[in-house]
Amino acid sequence: MISRMQAAGTGMQTGPTMTPVPPQTRGLTVLGWVVVCFSVIPLAMGATGDGVWIGWSGAVMLAAGIAMVVIGGRPRNVEPR
């Protein structure tokens, strides 16, 4: 089996060089949405009577997740290089 590989720096590359662009969304926003999604579980458990403290912990998770989404909600100002 013959496999062809392009060596770096040989000048054989055609087309523009692609440079990675940082993501538009902050990590705090993503973490906030994950916390909001996972807060549904203790909220549902507290609502069905599994424990009042579980419901309150879900409410705290929901508030913290919403705060993270609001704080990190602005898109990054990415400038081209």
Side-chain angles (χ1 to χ4, degrees):
M1 172 189 268
I2 298 173
S3 62
R4 296 179 185 223
M5 295 177 54
Q6 180 177 349
T10 59
M12 297 178 67
Q13 182 178 2
T14 60
T17 303
M18 302 292 285
T19 57
V21 178
Q24 295 286 327
T25 307
R26 291 190 166 105
L28 186 65
T29 304
V30 175
L31 181 62
W33 281 115
V34 169
V35 171
V36 166
C37 290
F38 278 108
S39 71
V40 173
I41 297 168
L43 283 172
M45 289 175 67
T48 59
D50 284 337
V52 175
W53 65 273
I54 295 175
W56 283 110
S57 67
V60 169
M61 284 176 62
L62 181 65
I66 290 172
M68 284 189 265
V69 169
V70 169
I71 290 170
R74 294 178 291 126
R76 290 186 182 177
N77 194 9
V78 179
E79 298 179 15
R81 295 181 185 188

